Amino acid sequence: MRLFPAALLLMMCGAVVLCPLISDQPSVHFRDVSKEAGVTPIIISGGREKNYVLEVNGSGACWFDYNNDGFMDLYLVNGATVEELQGKVPPGKHQNHLFRNNRNGTFTDVTEQAKVPGKGWGFGCVAADFDNDGKTDLLVTDFGPNILYRNNGDGTFTDVTSRAGVGGGNISHTGAAFADYDNDGRLDLYVAGYLDFDIQNPKSGGCEYEGVRVKACGPLGFKGAPDALYHNNGDGTFTDVTAKAGVVDRGLYFGFAVIFDDFDNDGFPDIFVANDSNPNYLYHNRGDGTFEEIAVTAGVAYNSDGKEHSGMGVAGGDYDNDGLIDLFVTTFANDNYALYHNDGRNFFTDVSYPSGVGEATIRWLGWGTFFFDYNNDGFKDLFCINGHVYPEIDGRINQTYRQPLQLLENMGHGKFRDVSEQVGLTRLPWRSGRGGAYCDFDNDGNVDLVVSNIDDRPTLLHNEGGRRNNWIELSLTGTTSNRSAVGAKAKITTGDLVQYDHVRAGGSFLSSNDPRLHFGLGNRKQIDSIEIRWPTGKIDRYQNLEANRILSLSEK
Amino acid sequence: MRKTFSQMIRLAYLGLLALGFAGPTGAADSSQDILSRAETLIKADDFEGARKMLVVARDSDPANVRVRYQLGYVLFRERRLDLAAAEFKSVVKLAPPAFYSRYYLGRITLLEGRPKEAVEWLEPAARAENPVLDTVAQLGKAYFESGRIEEALITFQEVCRHAPWDGGVHYQLGRAYQRLGQTGLAREEFATSERLKSADRQAVEKLLAFSQHLNKGEKELAVQIYRDLTSDPHADPDLLISLGVLLANAGLENEALEPFRIASDRNPAFFQAQYNRGLTLLKLGQAPEAEVPLKQAVQLQAESFEANSALALAYIGQERHADAVAPLAAAHRLRPSDTRIAGLLGSAYLRNGRPNDALAVLRKAMTAGAADSKLHFLLIEALQTTKDNAGALQAAQDAARRFPDQAQTHFFLAQQLLRVGRYQDAAPSFERTAQLDQGNVEARLGLGEVLQKKGDAAASLASYRAALALDPQNLTAKVGIAKDLALLQRFAEARDFLEAAVAQDPDSAALRFELARVYARLGDSARAAEQTQVFQRLHEKEPQ
């Protein structure tokens, strides 16, 4: 009898010893921690039956540190129903949600205290310190006027939209991004316009998609809504400079996602707009307050055959570490997502198929997306949030309304491969995802993710780390440059590996990522140098730094 | 010892005999001589005498095929069927294909009540270019007695084409229709059989003579009989039909029309007249004219597979695919095993927006006709139309395995792989298509595309250039070449190429698009802007 427990113990020990030999070496795994983290609101977008195109787009998510405690908090935008906006039914209990990071893997919904519930039908969000007071503010895009929440610094926000002048018209606003386009030290704002939708007399009637009768047809057949560029006047107000800056949306395209980035490294941020069913825009910043639209000649307006993609979400990042920011755009079903390699001098080449992302993505319909280094190997990978627009298709055609999340690993020589299964994404329940963003919410150096799912609860994925490669995160603060350091460029050199990234506010789909710059370093523990090029043009350099920490760097 | 020596000499002589060296008369010569004498006896119907000689000849020369055959024939005539069969089988073994011997083996097994075996013997002989004796008719009989009625029907129809005056064949046809439950047609054939059997003997002989003149190329004699029969106001309609059938069979469709016309005008309710008239007009490429008599034929005999099929073809010939569905469906119901009709019906369903109906027909037809590549292609198309990309790919892979030497199967497979985004996998299939079909432009274009997407611009360029060499006006090839030159950073070359291409195709948005980008790469922003504007203007007009 005494021997039995001992034998059992031995067996267990043996099993513990044996297990690592039987299984492969540990790899990164994403675990759904939404429930344990307390991030479980229902995000709606119209009714469950999608009768109108307005109802299919869902909403976004933003990571930002609203209380300056060094941990990123989470803002989730929520929608409404057509009937609520028409006044036919009382407004429901749908509101946006601000979740404060409790720094222990959990979050608390502080929406009421913070006074950021949103109103009407929310779509996107973007966070940045627009007034340079050291507290990150929040813009919510809406159907109808947008909302600019100014951070009061005491855990609350104030709606300053009217004074700021960034409400926009009674149209459907979608993606937004902040950047200092004229390098005056103040963050400006670009907001994409999607649809001019008559909420009181909504257009419906149905149409056919792949032989299936669907109701929420569009956006073709509707009037598009204009985009807008707002110049920050520095006094809490903005001026609509769309026409003056030369970024008038002449085609009234259906704008979805926006990013600012300096694609040609001339020191001035350019603007890329992903348009749904229309050519994309690339506005090159001339450096004199005006822009020139160059998407066609740059090679990013259309796919390589000169046909429009349905641009949904956009990611900017340097996937091949050549110092130039590349672009990735998610698209509609039966159309590959587009990876545009930045060749320099405002030229891009569509490398969707040679890179492997074309074939991996053609069967899905993509929304939120971003470049991030999921395994800290020094190469930026791609995450795609997928989901169809028409619930009617389930069981009728060879596509599904709910679709899996997708991770494309950067193999380091311009090639990507789908590792969704290996990292546990395909085992998660399939949902119809929309917005989403990455963030190292627990500051452990492994980048986590949030996904906003339409008519469902969000998915908060914790990166379980795997091989535990080395990393560094940079939290940048401007002094002469805008306080959020949007537009700052970092160059990290670690032995033979040189990486680049820029601080952005806005991107993905209706969302905003962790504003800190994260770099995986592989097995390199020592950083040879960090170079920060601030928006003002100033360059700060740092040498011989230890890895595996969050470095806070201020503009000198 | 003397006795032993004599025995040795005798043995040696016998041995030499066995070796064929001994004696003034050799074994070969002997059997040939016997054979000649036996054949003389056969002609005189002295089968017993012939048999005795042939047995000797056979024993001395068992490998003599002619001897074995004649012995078999004699035994057959004596109805000593087992022994006859053994001889014929030897001939088949010694000198295949031995169609005559097969013929008799078929007849023997039919007589012995073994029709399935008869089919096996007769089928190869019936497929010969000029089947011997009445092999085809015997095969028809064998099919009928094996229960393979549809095949019997088709076979008897073939016999009828060569001997339309033969009442016996019409009788056989009537039996076949009867077994198939097509009572109207059965009645028609039985009636024809009766009429022909009691027809004017002279007229029948004229027909026979006509047939012989035609076969021998004795044109003037044939024409004389033709005129006699067609100018006779009392000429039997059945004989006129027979005349027409003989002419049509000989490839003289224009001449065949007249007797059919006379017969159908004299008796509009005569199914054979209407049907044959319509069929002949169809063969002459006069589909609209064929429609009326064929419709009439179908009205007279709704259960006629042939009339329904021909009517469908008349509609298809006029691109009236919607109208073709009904007669095709009828023909398919009447003869579900006909894969050609099943294929046509499937195709008609597809053209009329009924892909699920097409799928049902094609899947069923493929269980019978899996060897017909056209059915596979139609199935792939139907699956594509129903958006079953996975199914279409599976079907394409299946077809490529079954028909590896057909260029089209590899092309279909490549296209299906492209549809599901598997560009890398499509390359070998395009390559194989181009290997099997050197003139296939689409394969070279497809290969160019997948190589370009793979990132191999140099190989892609070669493929597009090959396509352009085959089709100098091909726009897709021109665009592909331009793209590849740009990918290879050969911008000046791309510019020159595109400028020439745009001069030839000024309204091509795709060429303007590429030219705008190339000008931009070369720093010529004014021209880039100009081309961009032209592209956008042209692009707006393109169907979305």
Side-chain angles (χ1 to χ4, degrees):
Chain A
M1 285 285 283
R2 277 189 194 172
L3 285 173
F4 179 70
L8 190 61
L9 189 61
L10 272 171
M11 279 168 61
M12 286 167 62
C13 288
V16 166
V17 169
L18 277 170
C19 278
L21 293 175
I22 292 168
S23 65
D24 287 337
Q25 58 176 323
S27 58
V28 172
H29 176 79
F30 285 95
R31 188 167 64 88
D32 185 348
V33 297
S34 323
K35 214 169 167 183
E36 69 195 67
V39 178
T40 56
I42 298 280
I43 303 297
I44 71 156
S45 184
R48 281 192 176 267
E49 247 190 50
K50 301 299 174 192
N51 295 315
Y52 308 104
V53 65
L54 196 69
E55 300 177 296
V56 306
N57 297 331
S59 50
C62 289
W63 291 102
F64 70 114
D65 185 3
Y66 91 99
N67 55 359
N68 282 341
D69 67 351
F71 282 80
M72 294 295 145
D73 312 294
L74 175 62
Y75 191 77
L76 291 168
V77 183
N78 211 335
T81 66
V82 169
E83 292 74 22
E84 284 171 28
L85 259 57
Q86 288 172 334
K88 288 180 181 169
V89 302
K93 291 180 184 162
H94 321 294
Q95 61 175 23
N96 302 341
H97 294 270
L98 176 62
F99 286 95
R100 185 191 64 217
N101 191 333
N102 298 327
R103 298 181 283 181
N104 60 1
T106 68
F107 291 77
T108 300
D109 191 334
V110 296
T111 313
E112 298 298 332
Q113 301 94 295
K115 300 189 177 124
V116 286
K119 67 181 135 198
W121 194 322
F123 284 113
C125 58
V126 59
D129 183 1
F130 83 88
D131 54 2
N132 286 336
D133 66 354
K135 295 164 297 243
T136 310
D137 311 298
L138 179 68
L139 176 91
V140 181
T141 61
D142 251 52
F143 178 79
N146 304 310
I147 309 170
L148 180 62
Y149 285 115
R150 181 176 174 276
N151 190 332
N152 299 321
D154 60 358
T156 69
F157 291 76
T158 302
D159 181 346
V160 296
T161 314
S162 289
R163 180 163 187 274
V166 294
N170 214 28
I171 57 171
S172 170
H173 299 101
T174 45
F178 280 108
D180 183 3
Y181 78 85
D182 55 354
N183 285 339
D184 65 358
R186 298 185 289 262
L187 286 174
D188 311 299
L189 174 67
Y190 189 100
V191 182
Y194 187 65
L195 267 188
D196 191 346
F197 188 83
D198 183 352
I199 198 73
Q200 295 304 328
N201 299 295
K203 202 165 152 188
S204 66
C207 56
E208 270 211 4
Y209 171 75
E210 303 271 342
V212 179
R213 193 85 196 147
V214 298
K215 293 180 200 156
C217 310
L220 291 172
F222 285 85
K223 189 177 167 194
D227 302 345
L229 176 65
Y230 298 98
H231 178 259
N232 189 332
N233 301 322
D235 58 359
T237 69
F238 290 77
T239 302
D240 186 335
V241 294
T242 312
K244 186 178 165 193
V247 295
V248 172
D249 181 4
R250 294 187 196 288
L252 281 181
Y253 290 162
F254 306 109
F256 250 159
V258 186
I259 57 167
F260 272 100
D261 217 318
D262 185 5
F263 295 107
D264 57 348
N265 278 342
D266 65 357
F268 290 93
D270 312 298
I271 309 170
F272 177 83
V273 184
N275 290 313
D276 183 7
S277 309
N278 299 127
N280 302 318
Y281 286 135
L282 176 61
Y283 293 109
H284 172 244
N285 191 333
R286 290 193 177 105
D288 62 0
T290 68
F291 294 79
E292 179 194 6
E293 207 289 300
I294 60 165
V296 174
T297 51
V300 294
Y302 303 95
N303 66 12
S304 59
D305 295 324
K307 306 286 180 215
E308 288 85 342
H309 282 298
S310 283
M312 314 295 266
V314 62
D318 182 7
Y319 77 85
D320 58 346
N321 292 337
D322 65 354
L324 294 164
I325 299 299
D326 311 295
L327 276 167
F328 180 74
V329 180
T330 50
T331 62
F332 209 77
N334 292 328
D335 186 13
N336 60 278
Y337 304 170
L339 179 62
Y340 297 105
H341 177 261
N342 189 337
D343 301 337
R345 298 189 307 124
N346 286 318
F347 293 119
F348 292 76
T349 299
D350 183 343
V351 295
S352 310
Y353 280 95
S355 67
V357 306
E359 280 195 40
T361 56
I362 194 165
R363 62 181 287 211
W364 308 117
L365 199 162
W367 303 85
T369 183
F370 36 83
F371 284 103
F372 78 120
D373 189 351
Y374 88 100
N375 56 357
N376 287 338
D377 67 352
F379 291 92
K380 288 187 175 38
D381 314 293
L382 272 167
F383 189 80
C384 305
I385 298 169
N386 301 319
H388 212 284
V389 297
Y390 303 124
E392 295 98 322
I393 61 168
D394 274 343
R396 311 273 299 275
I397 59 174
N398 193 24
Q399 292 173 43
T400 54
Y401 183 59
R402 291 168 188 77
Q403 297 182 0
L405 300 169
Q406 200 173 13
L407 178 62
L408 303 172
E409 180 181 352
N410 186 339
M411 296 197 288
H413 42 93
K415 303 281 188 195
F416 288 77
R417 63 172 182 156
D418 193 331
V419 295
S420 310
E421 196 176 323
Q422 289 90 311
V423 301
L425 293 177
T426 52
R427 284 195 288 281
L428 297 170
W430 289 18
R431 294 190 163 116
S432 204
R434 296 292 185 268
Y438 71 78
C439 175
D440 178 8
F441 73 76
D442 54 359
N443 290 349
D444 66 353
N446 297 312
V447 183
D448 314 298
L449 314 165
V450 72
V451 176
S452 176
N453 299 304
I454 196 170
D455 303 323
D456 206 337
R457 301 182 195 281
T459 307
L460 181 64
L461 294 174
H462 183 247
N463 183 331
E464 309 278 83
R467 286 178 297 159
R468 315 248 175 243
N469 278 333
N470 300 299
W471 55 277
I472 187 80
E473 279 174 20
L474 307 179
S475 178
L476 303 183
T477 305
T479 52
T480 317
S481 301
N482 70 84
R483 194 75 191 235
S484 296
V486 174
K489 300 173 185 176
K491 176 184 173 184
I492 312 283
T493 305
T494 47
D496 60 337
L497 181 64
V498 182
Q499 299 178 69
Y500 304 82
D501 206 355
H502 303 171
V503 177
R504 297 177 198 88
S508 181
F509 177 72
L510 310 180
S511 302
S512 201
N513 297 308
D514 188 333
R516 299 170 297 186
L517 296 178
H518 172 271
F519 297 92
L521 305 175
N523 56 7
R524 303 162 188 82
K525 289 195 172 114
Q526 195 69 19
I527 299 164
D528 301 324
S529 68
I530 297 177
E531 178 184 293
I532 307 295
R533 185 178 288 266
W534 300 94
T536 51
K538 203 186 299 180
I539 300 175
D540 291 336
R541 290 187 177 87
Y542 306 84
Q543 315 279 354
N544 300 322
L545 303 153
E546 297 279 325
N548 302 320
R549 55 197 174 121
I550 300 172
L551 267 180
S552 295
L553 302 174
S554 292
E555 186 179 7
K556 288 179 189 164
Chain B
M1 199 162 163
R2 200 177 284 167
K3 201 174 173 184
T4 308
F5 182 72
S6 299
Q7 280 174 343
M8 282 169 63
I9 295 294
R10 189 180 161 77
L11 279 168
Y13 178 75
L14 287 169
L16 286 169
L17 267 176
L19 285 169
F21 283 107
T25 313
D29 288 345
S30 172
S31 64
Q32 208 46 47
D33 189 39
I34 295 168
L35 179 62
S36 298
R37 293 204 301 273
E39 283 174 344
T40 306
L41 292 176
I42 291 169
K43 280 179 191 161
D45 285 353
D46 180 2
F47 300 119
E48 189 182 343
R51 171 174 41 84
K52 286 173 183 168
M53 284 189 173
L54 288 167
V55 165
V56 170
R58 179 206 55 197
D59 290 345
S60 65
D61 187 6
N64 190 315
V65 167
R66 185 93 190 132
V67 165
R68 303 299 294 261
Y69 173 77
Q70 291 291 37
L71 179 55
Y73 176 72
V74 161
L75 289 164
F76 175 80
R77 293 298 300 269
E78 289 184 314
R79 283 299 188 262
R80 294 162 85 155
L81 299 178
D82 281 349
L83 294 171
E87 294 308 317
F88 288 127
K89 280 178 184 172
S90 301
V91 174
V92 171
K93 203 170 171 183
L94 287 167
F99 290 141
Y100 277 92
S101 293
R102 284 186 163 273
Y103 168 79
Y104 281 110
L105 283 163
R107 293 221 30 207
I108 288 167
T109 45
L110 266 173
L111 285 165
E112 290 178 339
R114 303 201 305 273
K116 286 181 182 171
E117 207 180 315
V119 167
E120 284 175 25
W121 288 120
L122 292 167
E123 268 183 344
R127 282 197 291 267
E129 200 178 325
N130 293 306
V132 301
L133 302 169
D134 64 340
T135 301
V136 181
Q138 293 296 327
L139 178 60
K141 221 171 138 185
Y143 279 140
F144 189 88
E145 290 177 21
S146 307
R148 291 161 68 170
I149 310 302
E150 255 185 41
E151 286 160 290
L153 179 67
I154 293 167
T155 310
F156 288 137
Q157 283 171 339
E158 195 185 328
V159 173
C160 197
R161 276 194 285 278
H162 292 279
W165 59 83
D166 187 340
V169 178
H170 286 275
Y171 176 75
Q172 299 280 36
L173 274 168
R175 287 180 69 207
Y177 279 127
Q178 197 172 48
R179 283 284 291 276
L180 288 170
Q182 294 168 25
T183 48
L185 285 164
R187 260 200 306 277
E188 176 104 10
E189 289 300 333
F190 286 140
T192 303
S193 169
E194 284 300 307
R195 284 198 303 272
L196 285 170
K197 281 177 181 174
S198 59
D200 176 8
R201 193 75 209 149
Q202 228 182 4
V204 173
E205 281 170 5
K206 267 190 187 174
L207 258 186
L208 209 54
F210 173 81
S211 174
Q212 284 164 352
H213 292 316
L214 206 61
N215 287 336
K216 289 178 188 171
E218 291 161 351
K219 201 174 166 189
E220 278 186 26
L221 292 168
V223 165
Q224 184 59 51
I225 297 175
Y226 174 85
R227 282 191 186 137
D228 282 348
L229 286 170
T230 53
S231 61
D232 180 359
H234 304 293
D236 190 321
D238 286 310
L239 293 174
L240 285 169
I241 299 299
S242 300
L243 178 65
V245 168
L246 286 171
L247 285 162
N249 229 31
L252 300 167
E253 279 91 3
N254 270 312
E255 289 76 8
L257 258 184
E258 185 61 10
F260 289 142
R261 183 196 63 75
I262 296 169
S264 59
D265 283 349
R266 282 184 193 169
N267 186 0
F270 188 9
F271 167 76
Q272 286 294 343
Q274 298 291 3
Y275 167 67
N276 279 293
R277 184 177 180 182
L279 185 64
T280 305
L281 285 164
L282 198 58
K283 284 185 179 175
L284 286 168
Q286 295 174 38
E289 291 80 6
E291 185 185 334
V292 170
L294 287 172
K295 259 169 115 166
Q296 180 70 2
V298 168
Q299 273 172 8
L300 289 166
Q301 292 290 352
E303 57 193 12
S304 167
F305 168 81
E306 289 76 18
N308 276 292
S309 303
L311 179 59
L313 288 173
Y315 285 133
I316 290 170
Q318 299 173 74
E319 302 282 335
R320 287 163 59 187
H321 300 284
D323 292 327
V325 170
L328 280 171
H332 181 59
R333 254 194 325 274
L334 290 163
R335 200 173 292 173
S337 61
D338 191 307
T339 57
R340 190 182 58 101
I341 290 297
L344 283 171
L345 180 58
S347 177
Y349 278 141
L350 278 175
R351 284 171 185 271
N352 284 292
R354 294 167 64 177
N356 289 317
D357 289 329
L359 274 175
V361 166
L362 292 167
R363 280 194 170 123
K364 208 168 168 186
M366 278 180 62
T367 56
D372 186 342
S373 61
K374 288 188 195 59
L375 286 179
H376 284 261
F377 301 151
L378 282 168
L379 178 68
I380 293 165
E381 194 184 333
L383 287 162
Q384 262 171 226
T385 310
T386 56
K387 312 287 182 199
D388 183 357
N389 288 330
L393 177 58
Q394 180 66 45
Q397 286 167 330
D398 188 42
R401 265 194 302 275
R402 284 178 189 273
F403 312 105
D405 297 326
Q406 282 194 39
Q408 204 171 3
T409 60
H410 297 282
F411 186 69
F412 264 97
L413 177 55
Q415 283 188 317
Q416 292 314 311
L417 287 164
L418 288 188
R419 273 178 193 277
V420 295
R422 286 169 57 180
Y423 285 85
Q424 308 261 9
D425 295 337
S429 295
F430 279 126
E431 275 166 349
R432 187 80 182 116
T433 308
Q435 272 168 15
L436 290 168
D437 180 2
Q438 304 271 324
N440 191 317
V441 175
E442 291 298 323
R444 294 193 191 276
L445 291 174
L447 185 58
E449 184 187 353
V450 301
L451 289 169
Q452 195 177 86
K453 284 183 152 68
K454 200 176 155 187
D456 191 347
S460 169
L461 180 62
S463 200
Y464 277 124
R465 284 206 196 277
L468 197 65
L470 289 168
D471 178 5
Q473 304 306 318
N474 193 290
L475 203 52
T476 306
K478 290 179 187 177
V479 172
I481 288 169
K483 274 204 229 290
D484 282 324
L485 288 170
L487 285 167
L488 292 165
Q489 316 270 314
R490 287 154 62 177
F491 297 114
E493 203 179 328
R495 175 200 58 208
D496 296 343
F497 178 82
L498 281 163
E499 283 174 351
V502 160
Q504 287 184 335
D505 292 291
D507 294 332
S508 164
L511 287 175
R512 298 285 186 173
F513 178 69
E514 296 303 326
L515 186 53
R517 293 179 60 189
V518 164
Y519 278 139
R521 289 278 190 167
L522 288 167
D524 191 342
S525 30
R527 287 204 167 94
E530 184 193 339
Q531 290 304 316
T532 301
Q533 278 181 3
V534 177
F535 157 72
Q536 282 168 336
R537 206 170 51 242
L538 290 169
H539 183 58
E540 269 164 31
K541 291 182 193 164
E542 285 178 328
Q544 293 302 312

